[in-house]
Amino acid sequence: DAGVHSKAWYAATCDRKMAEDALYRSNKDGSFLIRKSSGQDSRQPYTLVVFYNRRVYNIPIRFIESTRQYALGREKCGEERFDSVAEIVENHQRTSLVLIDSQNNTKDSTKLKHIVRVS
């Protein structure tokens, strides 16, 4: 268990479209939630969905079997690893999260500020 099920930011029954719609409705930079990933892949169990600058970013949360830890996005050298998904959220409520727009090849950053509930 990644420590997500009791958290306000975890949208258990939410798919990608519902998550994106909820964040667009919130329309606040730093709005976020975590949902189950669309693909049922144990190595990428969750997705962090963040709203910033009128865009929604879906950032995969990977599970690293060898260390039993979690990390964001694609595997990279020197990446930050966390013992739980909750630690990722707590960390990025304090420190900015880099948002990479692969279509426009731009980088932004924001902290996780507003929990969005999906109704």
Side-chain angles (χ1 to χ4, degrees), residues 8-117:
W9 39 254
Y10 181 59
T13 56
C14 177
D15 64 20
R16 181 176 183 140
K17 171 118 180 57
M18 285 165 65
E20 290 181 357
D21 289 349
L23 287 168
Y24 279 122
R25 278 196 304 273
S26 81
N27 201 27
K28 284 196 289 237
D29 284 351
S31 295
F32 75 98
L33 58 81
I34 289 189
R35 63 175 175 81
K36 276 194 178 122
S37 285
S38 311
Q40 287 305 310
D41 184 349
S42 62
R43 286 177 312 226
Q44 191 181 303
Y46 303 104
T47 301
L48 169 60
V49 192
V50 183
F51 182 88
Y52 184 77
N53 202 11
R54 298 189 303 282
R55 300 228 17 232
V56 170
Y57 295 83
N58 285 278
I59 304 162
I61 298 175
R62 283 181 298 110
F63 179 64
I64 302 150
E65 191 65 53
S66 59
T67 59
R68 311 218 46 86
Q69 289 176 301
Y70 294 88
L72 288 173
R74 280 195 286 261
E75 192 169 348
K76 48 213 161 297
C77 245
E79 67 187 359
E80 283 188 284
R81 293 181 171 187
F82 301 89
D83 292 329
S84 69
V85 174
E87 273 185 35
I88 293 176
V89 171
E90 286 157 19
N91 179 64
H92 289 298
Q93 285 175 321
R94 293 189 306 271
T95 62
S96 287
L97 170 70
V98 176
L99 303 169
I100 298 167
D101 178 346
S102 48
Q103 285 161 329
N104 302 321
N105 211 5
T106 57
K107 276 188 184 179
D108 271 312
S109 67
T110 185
K111 291 181 182 166
L112 302 179
K113 296 182 207 144
H114 313 285
I115 295 171
V116 172
R117 294 195 179 261

